[in-house]
Amino acid sequence: MILSLAWKNIWRNKPRSLIVVFAVAVGLFGGLFSSAIFIGMVDQRLSDAIRNEVSNLQIHHPGFLSNREIADTIPGAQNVLRQLRKDPRIKAVSERIKIIAMASTASGGAGVKINGVRPENEMKVTALQMKIADTSGSWFTSGRKNTIVVGQKLAEKLKLKLRSRVILSFQSVNGDIVYGAFRVEGIYKTYNTSFDETNVFVRNDDLAALAGLQSQQFHEILVSLYNDNTTDQVVDSVRNTFPHLETMGWKELMPDLGLMAEYTNAWLYIILVIILLALSFGIINTMMMAVLERTREIGMLRAVGMSGKKVFLMIMSETTFLSLTGTLAGIIITVPVVHYFQLHGLNVLMFAKGFEDIGFAAMIYPRLDADSYAGLIALVMLAALLSSVGPSRRALRLRPVEAIRTL
Amino acid sequence: MEIISLKNLTKTYREDSIEVTAVSDITLSFAEGEFTAIVGPSGSGKTTLLNLIGGLDAPTSGEIVVNGTNLARLSSSQLTDFRLWNVGFVFQAYNLIPVLTARENIEFIMHLQNKPVHERRKRASELLQAVGLADRAKSRPSKLSGGQQQRVAVARALAPRPRFILADEPTANLDSHSAENLLEMMEKLNREENITFIFSTHDPRVMKKARRIITLEDGKVLRDEQMHK
């Protein structure tokens, strides 16, 4: 009956309660939707980074990533590849030669990372071939030797077109500066312009010959998994199997992204806590008013034998019901809106350049899990509990004999 | 059988640094089944005396013993429990809970006593019948007249089967017809069910019905008369 009384009490002053419900609903919608956008952006960035840039994990010669020495190839690479292909968690592996070089054209030059790949293996690990538009060439399908796939940003910078010639110069394994001329076969475009500007792809065999490496020598093995969530486990088992090599998961390879992924939920809760904190003041004010208006009635309840505990329960229930009604309204608004944009995407093309400069797509697919809503409800309950302390204390401080006399 | 005993009861208040004596050295006792009116002009200490008897206020000095329990020895929460189980209150301004129906208002105190639902329902129906409002069980206070609201308030006070009912000017806000009806109903309950009523009033109609009239003046008992009817 206390709960039923509490529910009825909040509707005594309908306009006031509805304003609070509306404020809570709109505030939480804002918080949830902005969080959903942020989570969607991080999802896309992670997905792009894993699919196009670093894959789930990479294996190198120890020290290669810090020194970039061309001679630091993976010892026994063929054996490593063979072992990895036996692991049922691994979808595909791709081996790369990686060399820092200078790309030059008649229009200028730029520092680049050359990725010497086996195109057919690379296609199974990264999705770069999908990032080449129909009019922008192909992913090594011409069959010609010494062709190169460059990013659109680099192409713009060096004024490269399909079949343009680009000279790559770098230090070979012998220490000589070597030059190689490559024809542009494809121009890719990811959502990460800095990646597009610095990474070029050539055939492994073409690069090995120029660099003085054997055809079985590689600097990097990329590993793609069936399930992204098993990355840490696979990293551990690869480390155990090949302790002499350096194995790193995407979180270590891109620590900024790892951190972002780690803290997306924390971000959501930080936003919600700030919003709830602001809303709590409104809720406390409303409940203080409600207690003040019902001074005589609360005095009567105390007079007829309602314990302080039950008065507290009543006020706390009113605060909770009021907050939860607003929360449910907020969730009812948020769920279909997030669902709609999750399916159709939220187009922010006007900010595309800015977004892509930092690696994010201009089409965002917001996402929120059921856990986020459950967490929100728990937070609201907590906020309601804390918000009810002040009004309840005020109610409990009333002396029945004085409160009854109040007009 | 004596149920309430007051010994040298005094209550003083400080108002704007002036000490006001509301009740001064009152010694009285009340027996079970009494129908007693406490009368006197405004400021004579009627309401203060009722508040002291009901455990709503603490005396400055003196003793209040109800059924052998000295109220001065009870803690705040024990006093709340004491009121819940022993006292029925009827207030001048009815003080019903506006969002509950007549039946729910009557059941509310029994709910505080954790009485089972079927018992609450049965008792509420009996009381609604007794106060002549069986057909208004589902009405909220705002849909009832002043007289009907005060009847619900009496039924609510009776619901937990208290040892006695304290009514502070119960007819003050009622028209003469409603006041007459309410008094008849209270008298009937007193006569037939031996329920003890102590009420403050300066309404001559109430005084006429009382079997004992205690007259207060300046916080002191001026007269204590048994009316023979």
Side-chain angles (χ1 to χ4, degrees):
Chain A
M1 195 174 234
I2 303 267
L3 296 182
S4 140
L5 176 61
W7 176 252
K8 287 172 179 169
N9 278 340
I10 64 171
W11 300 113
R12 283 183 185 208
N13 190 332
K14 269 188 195 155
R16 188 174 62 198
S17 295
L18 285 174
I19 287 170
V20 174
V21 166
F22 184 73
V24 172
V26 171
L28 292 180
F29 167 73
L32 286 171
F33 191 56
S34 58
S35 300
I37 289 174
F38 178 71
I39 292 170
M41 285 169 70
V42 172
D43 280 356
Q44 166 267 317
R45 179 74 194 98
L46 282 181
S47 168
D48 281 357
I50 293 173
R51 304 287 161 256
N52 302 330
E53 298 169 31
V54 292
S55 197
N56 290 103
L57 57 123
Q58 293 183 359
I59 301 165
H60 302 97
H61 180 286
F64 174 76
L65 284 178
S66 41
N67 301 326
R68 297 274 169 182
E69 283 291 335
I70 193 168
D72 286 343
T73 55
I74 297 169
Q78 288 305 317
N79 178 43
V80 176
L81 288 168
R82 246 193 324 275
Q83 297 272 349
L84 291 174
R85 285 186 175 118
K86 285 182 195 161
D87 191 322
R89 295 167 296 181
I90 294 174
K91 190 167 76 178
V93 293
S94 176
E95 56 277 45
R96 284 177 174 178
I97 294 172
K98 294 204 75 155
I99 298 174
I100 304 289
M102 175 63 89
S104 314
T105 65
S107 306
V112 294
K113 288 177 199 163
I114 313 173
N115 294 274
V117 299
R118 298 222 156 126
E120 63 284 5
N121 288 349
E122 190 72 16
M123 282 168 70
K124 293 174 194 161
V125 172
T126 62
L128 280 169
Q129 77 283 357
M130 311 290 286
K131 302 289 175 185
I132 300 172
D134 289 344
T135 53
S136 303
S138 64
W139 180 256
F140 302 108
T141 52
S142 66
R144 292 193 190 103
K145 282 183 78 75
N146 286 351
T147 58
I148 186 168
V149 173
V150 299
Q152 187 175 294
K153 184 74 182 173
L154 183 70
E156 284 166 9
K157 192 173 175 184
L158 299 181
K159 296 192 171 53
L160 291 169
K161 291 179 184 162
L162 287 178
R163 284 179 291 283
S164 295
R165 206 166 74 129
V166 58
I167 307 295
L168 298 178
S169 55
F170 52 91
Q171 199 171 31
S172 76
V173 74
N174 303 320
D176 305 327
I177 300 295
V178 291
Y179 301 88
F182 290 80
R183 290 266 174 205
V184 176
E185 180 172 353
I187 299 172
Y188 69 88
K189 182 183 181 304
T190 68
Y191 294 123
N192 186 350
T193 45
S194 70
F195 179 85
D196 296 358
E197 190 177 358
T198 52
N199 283 276
V200 299
F201 293 82
V202 299
R203 274 204 183 77
N204 192 309
D205 295 340
D206 296 343
L207 187 61
L210 200 60
L213 293 167
Q214 303 294 315
S215 64
Q216 305 300 323
Q217 283 185 297
F218 312 107
H219 297 114
E220 184 171 278
I221 294 174
L222 275 78
V223 180
S224 169
L225 302 177
Y226 286 106
N227 181 354
D228 291 342
N229 296 330
T230 60
T231 303
D232 291 342
Q233 293 168 25
V234 179
V235 167
D236 285 345
S237 57
V238 173
R239 274 184 190 146
N240 288 337
T241 315
F242 306 107
H244 60 291
L245 299 177
E246 186 173 43
T247 306
M248 292 168 99
W250 63 266
K251 283 183 194 168
E252 293 160 280
L253 291 160
M254 305 187 90
D256 52 333
L257 271 189
L259 204 67
M260 208 186 273
E262 202 85 24
Y263 289 103
T264 43
N265 275 340
W267 166 262
L268 167 74
Y269 288 118
I270 288 168
I271 288 185
L272 290 178
V273 164
I274 293 168
I275 289 172
L276 281 173
L277 199 66
L279 291 173
S280 294
F281 289 106
I283 294 168
I284 291 170
N285 184 46
T286 301
M287 290 311 298
M288 283 288 194
M289 286 298 293
V291 169
L292 190 71
E293 282 170 4
R294 279 157 47 206
T295 297
R296 194 166 68 179
E297 187 179 311
I298 291 168
M300 179 277 292
L301 292 172
R302 299 284 284 140
V304 300
M306 191 168 181
S307 65
K309 220 186 289 176
K310 283 184 172 156
V311 171
F312 183 85
L313 176 69
M314 182 178 75
I315 305 285
M316 194 194 76
S317 306
E318 287 176 30
T319 318
T320 308
F321 288 153
L322 194 61
S323 314
L324 275 183
T325 307
T327 305
L328 289 179
I331 290 175
I332 287 168
I333 303 167
T334 308
V335 169
V337 173
V338 169
H339 185 69
Y340 176 84
F341 286 111
Q342 195 169 8
L343 291 178
H344 300 95
L346 179 65
N347 192 335
V348 286
L349 279 176
M350 65 183 97
F351 307 115
K353 190 181 175 307
F355 270 59
E356 288 172 7
D357 278 350
I358 53 168
F360 290 97
M363 187 64 113
I364 302 165
Y365 295 88
R367 175 179 69 85
L368 270 184
D369 296 332
D371 287 358
S372 307
Y373 294 111
L376 167 70
I377 290 172
L379 269 182
V380 169
M381 298 283 277
L382 183 68
L385 183 72
L386 296 175
S387 302
S388 64
V389 171
S392 301
R393 279 170 60 106
R394 185 178 197 143
L396 291 176
R397 271 205 303 268
L398 295 173
R399 290 189 63 226
V401 69
E402 285 159 13
I404 292 166
R405 284 196 216 118
T406 311
L407 289 175
Chain B
M1 186 188 141
E2 181 186 276
I3 55 169
I4 304 165
S5 159
L6 314 177
K7 280 185 199 157
N8 307 112
L9 204 60
T10 298
K11 177 72 187 179
T12 55
Y13 296 102
R14 282 196 88 79
E15 266 179 25
D16 300 330
S17 73
I18 298 166
E19 203 160 85
V20 178
T21 304
V23 167
S24 173
D25 197 27
I26 287 181
T27 298
L28 284 170
S29 65
F30 298 89
E32 195 166 16
E34 276 193 18
F35 198 68
T36 299
I38 299 173
V39 302
S42 290
S44 59
K46 303 187 294 290
T47 301
T48 305
L49 185 61
L50 286 186
N51 287 340
L52 290 167
I53 297 171
L56 286 174
D57 213 349
T60 310
S61 64
E63 202 171 78
I64 307 163
V65 179
V66 178
N67 279 330
T69 307
N70 187 345
L71 299 194
R73 296 206 182 121
L74 300 182
S75 66
S76 168
S77 65
Q78 284 171 325
L79 269 175
T80 305
D81 256 8
F82 162 80
R83 293 196 296 268
L84 178 63
W85 292 95
N86 294 283
V87 194
F89 289 95
V90 178
F91 305 97
Q92 184 179 331
Y94 329 133
N95 285 1
L96 297 175
I97 302 170
V99 292
L100 300 184
T101 63
R103 172 185 285 282
E104 288 166 340
N105 264 287
I106 294 168
E107 282 188 32
F108 190 75
I109 299 179
M110 291 186 281
H111 172 78
L112 296 179
Q113 290 178 320
N114 295 322
K115 295 262 172 72
V117 180
H118 63 90
E119 195 181 321
R120 294 196 320 241
R121 293 274 149 83
K122 189 164 168 264
R123 179 80 175 142
S125 297
E126 282 168 12
L127 288 166
L128 280 163
Q129 195 74 42
V131 299
L133 288 174
D135 57 335
R136 306 305 303 271
K138 290 182 180 168
S139 301
R140 286 197 176 183
S142 58
K143 302 286 176 202
L144 299 173
S145 69
Q148 287 172 326
Q149 287 188 55
Q150 197 61 302
R151 281 159 176 264
V152 175
V154 171
R156 177 181 67 185
L158 288 167
R161 298 182 195 279
R163 301 302 304 254
F164 55 92
I165 303 271
L166 298 175
D168 187 13
E169 311 246 9
T171 58
N173 290 345
L174 301 182
D175 60 56
S176 58
H177 179 67
S178 302
E180 205 63 47
N181 278 343
L182 182 78
L183 284 170
E184 271 171 25
M185 183 201 80
M186 285 163 61
E187 200 186 16
K188 188 166 170 243
L189 288 165
N190 168 261
R191 210 172 41 242
E192 292 176 0
E193 298 188 26
N194 202 33
I195 293 163
T196 309
F197 277 90
I198 303 170
F199 38 86
S200 68
T201 188
H202 42 233
D203 183 342
R205 293 165 303 189
V206 182
M207 291 183 222
K208 250 189 344 199
K209 299 268 181 195
R211 288 202 296 277
R212 180 184 176 192
I213 297 179
I214 297 166
T215 310
L216 297 186
E217 198 174 88
D218 297 331
K220 291 190 168 124
V221 176
L222 194 67
R223 278 188 301 277
D224 184 355
E225 306 159 280
Q226 294 290 339
M227 314 307 282
H228 299 286
K229 297 193 176 173

